[in-house]
Amino acid sequence: MSDIAHMNGDELLRRLRQAANRKGQTFQTKPGKGDHVKVYIGSRMAPIPGRKEEIKTGTLLSILRMLGLTKQDLE
């Protein structure tokens, strides 16, 4: 997890897009409230906090759970 422990929102969005492409699922983003972004992978949605801020580990794991992904999907 050390590789994904320190990433910001932009890096997470890039890795989520790659994971969706590898799984053959659609990837879509929409604006959220404030500086958040809503990410859709297939029929699942998760809000991504500030794109320039570092994502905390618990938040990252929660996002992955909402999207039906694992840490290995981001590597």
Side-chain angles (χ1 to χ4, degrees):
M1 174 118 169
S2 62
D3 186 39
I4 64 171
H6 302 288
M7 76 172 73
N8 62 23
D10 282 337
E11 175 68 14
L12 178 58
L13 287 172
R14 186 181 70 77
R15 290 187 185 203
L16 289 173
R17 178 176 281 123
Q18 291 173 346
N21 286 339
R22 281 193 298 270
K23 289 183 167 245
Q25 296 179 331
T26 60
F27 177 87
Q28 189 176 28
T29 61
K30 293 185 179 179
K33 290 187 177 182
D35 61 351
H36 287 61
V37 176
K38 291 180 183 178
V39 171
Y40 296 86
I41 294 182
S43 62
R44 295 174 173 246
M45 187 278 292
I48 308 295
R51 295 178 61 168
K52 302 298 179 192
E53 301 170 13
E54 184 175 316
I55 307 286
K56 294 181 180 178
T57 304
T59 304
L60 175 61
L61 294 176
S62 179
I63 290 168
L64 292 176
R65 190 171 35 255
M66 284 187 262
L67 295 173
L69 299 173
T70 65
K71 294 181 287 187
Q72 290 77 23
D73 291 327
L74 296 186
E75 295 175 350

